[in-house]
Amino acid sequence: MKYNFDEIINRKNTDSQKWDMFNDPEDVIPMPVADMDFRCPTPILEALNNITEHGVFGYAIVPERLKEIFQERLKNLYNWETEKEWQVWIPGLVPAIYATCKAIGEAGDAVITAIPVYHPFHLAPAYVDKKLQTFPMKEVDGRWTFDFEALEATITPATKLFMLCNPHNPGGTVFTKEELEKLVDICEKHDIVICADEIHADLILDPSKKHIPIASLSKKAAERTITLMAPSKTFNIAGLGCSVAIIPNPELRQKFERAKHGFFPPLTRYSQEAAFVAYSDCEDWRLALVDYLKENHDYLYEALNGYKGLKLLPLEATYLAWIDARATGIENIQEKFLEAGVRIMDGKIFKGEGFFRLNFACPKATLVEAVERIKKSLTE
């Protein structure tokens, strides 16, 4: 193998949120936080070393070459023709979610999203004086999708923003062209802006699926959409803080810029150079990574789906398994697995009671050990 994803890297005592935040015993395998236990690509490491050797760390501006290569990437991967001025580079996708909730609508207006979903989606509205509206996702033909009838029934005149997660975290769904078009039609009917978190777009596990940026569907979709992307999940550089909002509508772009003004620091040379090198020199690493993640996914699915009351739908994307534990009858599944030496993320965080999320972006040996511990705990 050209890239050694099997390498075990000790991340304990590195101030890692994933490995150090919970103060777990040394032998606990942490699988909650969504970063990977793989060394990032060598070209990125070399680029960061070059900046360090230069030795000056002043304020940075976003280079044109980063904007241009990202523009090319959108065209090459997603057949999405964009303009450079649509890009707004930001030091993190989660702050962009909060800024978008602030920018769209007035105090007291509503933000709607499907649940379960990545927790900043349902935490952000209250921080910016907005109301949260939710409707359930549903299982159809072995995948999670929207309950469009429930969506329409939940919308009110106060609903100004729809928060979309595609590919979906934690459900792992890659929404189809038809599903996205239906969502656009509903949002157009009710004059709702769409904020699309597409951070997992480069991590498609099912080769029959293809990510479609919702804003690329049509001019009407583009005009009401703020798309959020980043190299962070794909190339394991989340801690560097580099993301981008793509906002074709100048009025929406101005609102977003105003909402973030004074709150977001400029990107660092480290983050910008890491993003540029990731997009310019690391595509073969990304493809090898996806293959490795797919093997891990298939092992996990085979091992845990149907085991002692656990249910896992095949993921179409991401490295975050969404597992239904309701049939186990265990009241606190997080505590149960922690006693067995595995830390997972309780589905309550995502408004998914009875489920848990497990991050399988780790060496295969680590995943095998975690699975064995989980299985053993369910037989005791």
Side-chain angles (χ1 to χ4, degrees):
M1 182 185 291
K2 186 177 180 181
Y3 304 104
N4 186 15
F5 297 110
D6 288 324
E7 179 186 6
I8 304 291
I9 300 171
N10 184 3
R11 298 183 63 193
K12 290 291 289 184
N13 302 313
T14 63
D15 300 319
S16 162
Q17 185 181 102
K18 183 178 182 181
W19 285 82
D20 295 325
M21 182 172 68
F22 303 103
N23 295 315
D24 289 329
E26 284 289 325
D27 64 338
V28 169
I29 301 173
M31 311 185 93
V33 179
D35 66 19
M36 302 189 287
D37 291 331
F38 308 128
R39 191 182 304 275
C40 76
T42 299
I44 295 177
L45 298 177
E46 292 173 347
L48 299 181
N49 284 338
N50 289 339
I51 294 173
T52 300
E53 289 174 7
H54 181 257
V56 180
F57 310 112
Y59 296 116
I61 58 172
V62 179
E64 289 299 307
R65 62 194 176 100
L66 176 55
K67 298 176 184 178
E68 289 164 0
I69 200 163
F70 182 68
Q71 187 182 24
E72 291 172 13
R73 185 177 184 83
L74 294 178
K75 181 178 180 180
N76 293 337
L77 290 185
Y78 311 118
N79 197 30
W80 187 14
E81 297 279 358
T82 64
E83 303 294 336
K84 278 196 296 182
E85 58 262 32
W86 297 356
Q87 300 175 22
V88 182
W89 288 86
I90 45 183
L93 192 138
V94 171
I97 290 172
Y98 281 73
T100 302
C101 287
K102 179 182 177 184
I104 306 304
E106 306 297 331
D109 284 339
V111 177
I112 191 168
T113 193
I115 56 171
V117 74
Y118 182 47
H119 49 291
F121 278 36
H122 49 80
L123 295 177
Y127 279 89
V128 292
D129 298 320
K130 306 291 169 64
K131 297 175 181 176
L132 173 68
Q133 298 173 327
T134 63
F135 67 99
M137 296 187 73
K138 62 180 181 179
E139 180 186 340
V140 178
D141 298 328
R143 63 193 288 273
W144 294 105
T145 188
F146 296 126
D147 184 334
F148 285 106
E149 289 185 5
L151 166 59
E152 292 240 51
T154 306
I155 291 171
T156 69
T159 311
K160 304 300 181 185
L161 178 65
F162 184 97
M163 297 297 299
L164 167 67
C165 193
N166 180 38
H168 190 264
N169 172 13
T173 300
V174 179
F175 292 104
T176 65
K177 184 171 183 284
E178 292 71 26
E179 288 168 330
L180 295 174
E181 286 177 336
K182 188 165 185 177
L183 179 59
V184 170
D185 288 342
I186 291 171
C187 289
E188 183 182 37
K189 174 182 173 183
H190 296 278
D191 194 22
I192 296 171
V193 173
I194 300 168
C195 179
D197 169 0
E198 302 187 7
I199 198 170
H200 291 101
D202 296 337
L203 299 173
I204 308 298
L205 303 182
D206 185 338
S208 71
K209 307 298 179 183
K210 183 174 177 60
H211 177 72
I212 303 171
I214 192 168
S216 72
L217 288 174
S218 61
K219 183 173 176 55
K220 73 177 184 180
E223 285 296 300
R224 65 176 59 254
T225 300
I226 295 172
T227 303
L228 306 178
M229 290 184 168
S232 53
K233 300 298 183 188
T234 308
F235 300 99
N236 207 26
I237 53 175
L240 293 178
C242 184
S243 304
V244 58
I246 308 101
I247 314 175
N249 184 322
E251 183 181 347
L252 286 184
R253 192 161 63 247
Q254 185 181 48
K255 288 181 178 180
F256 182 86
E257 291 271 19
R258 191 181 302 124
K260 77 176 185 64
H261 185 70
F263 290 96
F264 289 21
L267 272 65
T268 66
R269 281 188 66 202
Y270 282 110
S271 61
Q272 292 174 174
E273 192 64 17
F276 176 78
V277 173
Y279 291 147
S280 61
D281 296 334
C282 301
E283 184 62 9
D284 59 339
W285 184 92
R286 181 186 76 87
L287 295 174
L289 168 71
V290 171
D291 287 343
Y292 193 90
L293 293 176
K294 181 66 164 65
E295 291 177 6
N296 274 5
H297 164 273
D298 292 350
Y299 165 76
L300 183 69
Y301 180 80
E302 186 68 27
L304 291 188
N305 184 44
Y307 186 83
K308 302 293 184 181
L310 298 181
K311 179 181 177 181
L312 167 63
L313 301 184
L315 295 176
E316 297 174 345
T318 83
Y319 50 73
L320 305 166
W322 184 238
I323 302 175
D324 187 347
R326 290 174 294 183
T328 66
I330 298 169
E331 186 172 333
N332 191 330
I333 199 75
Q334 184 179 52
E335 183 178 313
K336 176 75 171 176
F337 291 159
L338 188 57
E339 290 173 355
V342 180
R343 178 175 284 280
I344 49 82
M345 189 165 281
D346 195 313
K348 293 176 184 176
I349 293 172
F350 309 98
K351 293 189 179 292
E353 188 82 29
F355 288 72
F356 66 93
R357 195 186 76 173
L358 182 150
N359 177 351
F360 56 86
C362 59
K364 178 71 174 293
T366 303
L367 180 61
V368 170
E369 175 62 26
V371 166
E372 289 305 309
R373 293 182 185 185
I374 287 172
K375 292 173 73 172
K376 184 179 179 182
S377 75
L378 292 173
T379 59
E380 294 176 345

XYZ file of all heavy atoms in Angstrom, residues 81-137:
447
model
N -19.930 25.201 -12.151
C -19.260 26.416 -12.634
C -19.533 27.552 -11.654
O -20.683 27.911 -11.404
C -19.790 26.796 -14.021
C -19.515 25.757 -15.108
C -18.111 25.856 -15.673
O -17.358 26.760 -15.247
O -17.763 25.043 -16.553
N -18.469 28.082 -11.084
C -18.617 29.140 -10.073
C -17.738 30.338 -10.420
O -16.894 30.271 -11.317
C -18.216 28.615 -8.681
O -16.825 28.268 -8.690
C -19.051 27.401 -8.287
N -17.926 31.406 -9.675
C -17.085 32.602 -9.807
C -16.256 32.755 -8.527
O -16.733 32.446 -7.427
C -17.950 33.850 -10.012
C -18.880 33.778 -11.213
C -18.133 33.737 -12.538
O -16.979 34.208 -12.577
O -18.706 33.228 -13.527
N -15.047 33.254 -8.678
C -14.178 33.401 -7.509
C -14.779 34.329 -6.458
O -14.597 34.115 -5.252
C -12.801 33.921 -7.934
C -11.864 32.849 -8.451
C -10.420 33.324 -8.503
C -10.223 34.466 -9.478
N -8.794 34.868 -9.546
N -15.486 35.366 -6.922
C -16.028 36.323 -5.949
C -17.135 35.718 -5.084
O -17.557 36.321 -4.094
C -16.539 37.586 -6.645
C -17.600 37.341 -7.688
C -17.004 37.310 -9.096
O -15.834 36.886 -9.249
O -17.718 37.711 -10.029
N -17.618 34.530 -5.439
C -18.611 33.876 -4.602
C -17.992 33.313 -3.321
O -18.705 33.012 -2.363
C -19.275 32.716 -5.351
C -20.045 33.103 -6.575
C -20.275 34.374 -7.052
C -20.690 32.215 -7.489
N -21.015 34.328 -8.207
C -21.293 33.010 -8.506
C -20.822 30.831 -7.572
C -22.010 32.468 -9.567
C -21.534 30.274 -8.622
C -22.121 31.079 -9.613
N -16.685 33.141 -3.294
C -16.011 32.498 -2.173
C -15.797 33.474 -1.007
O -15.332 34.592 -1.203
C -14.643 31.959 -2.613
C -14.678 30.945 -3.727
C -13.274 30.558 -4.187
O -12.304 30.721 -3.441
N -13.157 30.048 -5.404
N -16.117 32.994 0.181
C -15.806 33.717 1.411
C -15.051 32.739 2.309
O -15.642 31.794 2.838
C -17.068 34.222 2.133
C -16.683 35.023 3.380
C -17.939 35.057 1.202
N -13.740 32.955 2.451
C -12.915 32.025 3.231
C -13.006 32.361 4.716
O -12.967 33.523 5.114
C -11.473 32.059 2.729
C -11.375 31.382 1.400
C -11.590 31.950 0.171
C -11.096 30.004 1.155
N -11.459 31.009 -0.831
C -11.142 29.796 -0.251
C -10.785 28.917 1.976
C -10.910 28.556 -0.834
C -10.550 27.679 1.405
C -10.612 27.505 0.020
N -13.142 31.332 5.529
C -13.449 31.480 6.947
C -12.658 30.446 7.752
O -12.280 29.400 7.225
C -14.966 31.285 7.188
C -15.463 30.056 6.411
C -15.751 32.517 6.821
C -16.925 29.776 6.494
N -12.402 30.714 9.031
C -11.553 29.819 9.827
C -12.294 28.659 10.473
O -11.840 28.117 11.480
C -10.976 30.754 10.887
C -12.055 31.745 11.097
C -12.687 31.956 9.754
N -13.432 28.264 9.933
C -14.139 27.128 10.504
C -15.561 27.039 9.994
O -16.224 28.057 9.776
N -16.027 25.807 9.802
C -17.373 25.627 9.281
C -18.445 25.851 10.346
O -19.497 26.422 10.063
C -17.497 24.227 8.674
C -18.748 23.986 7.823
C -18.392 23.200 6.563
C -19.807 23.242 8.615
N -18.176 25.441 11.571
C -19.170 25.644 12.636
C -19.438 27.127 12.879
O -20.605 27.543 12.968
C -18.752 24.919 13.930
C -19.671 25.317 15.089
C -18.807 23.409 13.730
N -18.409 27.988 12.970
C -18.712 29.417 13.077
C -19.545 29.935 11.907
O -20.369 30.841 12.085
C -17.315 30.067 13.088
C -16.414 29.019 13.607
C -16.956 27.733 13.084
N -19.343 29.347 10.719
C -20.125 29.759 9.556
C -21.596 29.391 9.702
O -22.482 30.109 9.226
C -19.552 29.134 8.286
N -21.865 28.275 10.380
C -23.252 27.894 10.653
C -23.911 28.940 11.548
O -25.046 29.385 11.294
C -23.301 26.498 11.311
C -22.902 25.413 10.290
C -24.693 26.211 11.883
C -22.734 24.037 10.903
N -23.199 29.363 12.581
C -23.739 30.371 13.490
C -23.916 31.712 12.766
O -24.925 32.396 12.958
C -22.816 30.531 14.692
C -22.974 29.448 15.733
C -22.498 28.159 15.504
C -23.613 29.706 16.936
C -22.650 27.158 16.455
C -23.770 28.722 17.895
C -23.286 27.440 17.637
O -23.451 26.454 18.587
N -22.925 32.076 11.940
C -23.020 33.337 11.204
C -24.202 33.333 10.245
O -24.894 34.340 10.088
C -21.724 33.593 10.438
N -24.439 32.189 9.605
C -25.570 32.089 8.683
C -26.889 32.222 9.421
O -27.808 32.920 8.969
C -25.524 30.756 7.916
O -24.289 30.657 7.208
C -26.672 30.652 6.928
N -26.996 31.557 10.569
C -28.231 31.671 11.361
C -28.456 33.117 11.799
O -29.605 33.580 11.881
C -28.167 30.747 12.579
S -28.341 28.994 12.192
N -27.375 33.815 12.075
C -27.489 35.224 12.456
C -27.890 36.090 11.264
O -28.697 37.022 11.393
C -26.156 35.713 13.020
C -26.158 37.181 13.433
C -24.780 37.610 13.932
C -24.765 39.097 14.280
N -23.410 39.563 14.674
N -27.327 35.778 10.097
C -27.501 36.635 8.922
C -28.891 36.575 8.316
O -29.372 37.565 7.755
C -26.467 36.253 7.860
N -29.540 35.416 8.405
C -30.803 35.210 7.690
C -31.990 35.408 8.629
O -32.122 34.729 9.647
C -30.857 33.806 7.063
C -29.627 33.567 6.173
C -32.134 33.625 6.276
C -29.421 34.594 5.087
N -32.869 36.327 8.262
C -34.055 36.590 9.062
C -33.794 37.568 10.191
O -32.679 38.056 10.376
N -34.845 37.836 10.940
C -34.775 38.763 12.066
C -34.904 37.997 13.382
O -35.257 36.815 13.393
C -35.903 39.801 11.959
C -35.942 40.548 10.637
C -34.698 41.374 10.384
O -34.083 41.815 11.398
O -34.322 41.575 9.218
N -34.648 38.678 14.478
C -34.826 38.060 15.796
C -36.246 37.526 15.928
O -37.209 38.208 15.560
C -34.537 39.072 16.896
N -36.357 36.293 16.410
C -37.667 35.663 16.555
C -38.079 34.812 15.372
O -39.036 34.035 15.467
N -37.380 34.947 14.231
C -37.658 34.084 13.085
C -37.158 32.677 13.367
O -36.476 32.425 14.365
C -37.013 34.638 11.817
C -37.772 35.822 11.239
O -38.976 35.957 11.557
O -37.171 36.615 10.491
N -37.467 31.745 12.453
C -37.185 30.334 12.712
C -36.191 29.740 11.720
O -36.145 30.122 10.547
C -38.476 29.529 12.683
N -35.412 28.783 12.239
C -34.485 27.974 11.451
C -34.981 26.539 11.519
O -35.249 26.028 12.611
C -33.055 28.061 12.010
C -32.111 27.157 11.230
C -32.573 29.505 12.013
N -35.081 25.876 10.371
C -35.622 24.518 10.336
C -34.553 23.537 9.870
O -33.718 23.860 9.031
C -36.874 24.450 9.416
C -37.596 23.115 9.604
C -36.519 24.681 7.948
C -38.979 23.087 8.964
N -34.582 22.345 10.457
C -33.659 21.294 10.043
C -34.266 19.933 10.336
O -35.160 19.803 11.174
C -32.304 21.435 10.758
O -31.336 20.603 10.118
C -32.389 21.060 12.228
N -33.776 18.924 9.625
C -34.208 17.549 9.863
C -33.387 16.944 10.989
O -32.192 17.232 11.108
C -34.043 16.715 8.594
N -34.003 16.110 11.804
C -33.269 15.436 12.873
C -33.391 13.923 12.710
O -34.378 13.437 12.160
C -33.756 15.880 14.269
C -35.260 15.657 14.424
C -33.385 17.308 14.539
C -35.762 15.877 15.846
N -32.372 13.185 13.155
C -31.170 13.648 13.854
C -30.246 14.417 12.912
O -30.298 14.231 11.691
C -30.516 12.347 14.314
C -30.923 11.351 13.276
C -32.336 11.722 12.924
N -29.377 15.250 13.504
C -28.448 16.015 12.675
C -27.293 16.507 13.540
O -27.404 16.591 14.777
C -29.153 17.197 11.982
C -29.446 18.328 12.968
C -28.382 17.699 10.776
N -26.206 16.843 12.898
C -25.023 17.430 13.530
C -25.464 18.529 14.492
O -26.174 19.453 14.109
C -24.128 17.979 12.423
C -22.827 18.577 12.851
C -21.982 17.929 13.748
C -22.411 19.793 12.326
C -20.771 18.487 14.118
C -21.196 20.359 12.683
C -20.387 19.701 13.591
O -19.186 20.262 13.948
N -25.020 18.446 15.745
C -25.637 19.239 16.809
C -25.538 20.759 16.675
O -26.447 21.453 17.143
C -25.126 18.788 18.177
C -23.656 18.666 18.306
N -22.935 17.683 17.659
C -22.747 19.377 19.012
C -21.663 17.805 17.953
N -21.514 18.823 18.755
N -24.499 21.350 16.065
C -24.540 22.810 15.906
C -25.755 23.313 15.137
O -26.175 24.462 15.315
C -23.245 23.110 15.139
C -22.308 22.041 15.593
C -23.172 20.809 15.670
N -26.355 22.459 14.305
C -27.549 22.856 13.564
C -28.687 23.238 14.506
O -29.442 24.172 14.228
C -28.026 21.712 12.657
C -27.298 21.601 11.355
C -25.952 21.876 11.252
C -27.968 21.201 10.209
C -25.276 21.765 10.051
C -27.308 21.092 8.996
C -25.956 21.371 8.920
N -28.840 22.479 15.596
C -29.964 22.802 16.486
C -29.541 23.594 17.714
O -30.391 24.020 18.493
C -30.761 21.549 16.875
C -29.957 20.388 17.365
N -29.472 20.301 18.640
C -29.576 19.255 16.738
C -28.837 19.161 18.793
N -28.862 18.499 17.659
N -28.240 23.835 17.863
C -27.786 24.700 18.950
C -27.675 26.162 18.512
O -27.929 27.076 19.293
C -26.419 24.229 19.456
C -26.366 22.849 20.119
C -24.928 22.521 20.501
C -27.276 22.787 21.330
N -27.280 26.382 17.250
C -26.984 27.735 16.773
C -28.157 28.711 16.851
O -27.960 29.871 17.257
C -26.444 27.671 15.342
N -29.376 28.323 16.441
C -30.454 29.322 16.398
C -30.662 30.081 17.705
O -30.800 31.308 17.699
C -31.689 28.487 16.026
C -31.134 27.349 15.209
C -29.825 27.024 15.876
N -30.652 29.374 18.827
C -30.919 30.035 20.109
C -29.847 31.062 20.460
O -30.131 32.053 21.136
C -31.020 28.990 21.221
N -28.632 30.850 19.986
C -27.536 31.786 20.278
C -27.692 33.107 19.544
O -27.081 34.107 19.921
C -26.190 31.154 19.914
C -25.655 30.220 20.970
C -25.983 28.867 20.957
C -24.823 30.691 21.979
C -25.493 28.005 21.924
C -24.327 29.830 22.955
C -24.665 28.491 22.922
O -24.188 27.637 23.888
N -28.491 33.108 18.475
C -28.653 34.330 17.672
C -30.121 34.783 17.642
O -30.590 35.374 16.677
C -28.100 34.126 16.246
C -26.590 33.968 16.288
C -28.746 32.929 15.548
N -30.834 34.448 18.721
C -32.223 34.915 18.907
C -33.176 34.404 17.830
O -34.105 35.110 17.416
C -32.273 36.443 18.950
C -31.490 37.003 20.124
O -31.566 36.409 21.211
O -30.792 38.016 19.950
N -32.944 33.183 17.383
C -33.861 32.542 16.429
C -34.505 31.324 17.088
O -33.998 30.787 18.076
C -33.107 32.120 15.156
C -32.325 33.236 14.472
C -33.244 34.271 13.836
C -32.495 35.517 13.374
N -31.523 35.269 12.309
N -35.601 30.881 16.527
C -36.290 29.691 17.023
C -35.902 28.478 16.172
O -35.662 28.611 14.979
C -37.810 29.901 16.987
C -38.288 31.024 17.889
C -39.785 31.265 17.725
C -40.258 32.416 18.611
N -41.705 32.734 18.399
N -35.871 27.331 16.800
C -35.544 26.087 16.104
C -36.815 25.316 15.774
O -37.681 25.136 16.628
C -34.635 25.214 16.980
C -34.341 23.814 16.442
C -33.475 23.887 15.185
C -33.669 22.954 17.520
N -36.905 24.882 14.530
C -37.971 23.983 14.104
C -37.327 22.699 13.589
O -36.335 22.758 12.859
C -38.818 24.608 12.986
C -39.546 25.878 13.388
C -40.224 26.546 12.204
O -39.728 26.493 11.076
N -41.347 27.199 12.444
N -37.865 21.550 13.966
C -37.312 20.285 13.502
C -38.405 19.384 12.957
O -39.572 19.485 13.347
C -36.587 19.535 14.635
O -37.523 19.200 15.668
C -35.459 20.375 15.211
N -38.002 18.516 12.049
C -38.892 17.464 11.554
C -38.048 16.209 11.396
O -36.825 16.286 11.237
C -39.558 17.876 10.231
C -38.608 18.000 9.075
C -38.474 16.974 8.144
C -37.827 19.148 8.901
C -37.595 17.079 7.078
C -36.950 19.265 7.836
C -36.831 18.225 6.921
N -38.667 15.013 11.432
C -37.872 13.782 11.459
C -37.433 13.316 10.073
O -38.146 13.487 9.083
C -38.848 12.772 12.062
C -40.189 13.258 11.608
C -40.113 14.761 11.627
N -36.255 12.719 10.039
C -35.876 11.951 8.869
C -36.553 10.587 8.978
O -37.034 10.203 10.050
C -34.353 11.794 8.800
C -33.632 13.107 8.626
S -31.861 12.895 8.335
C -31.867 12.289 6.640
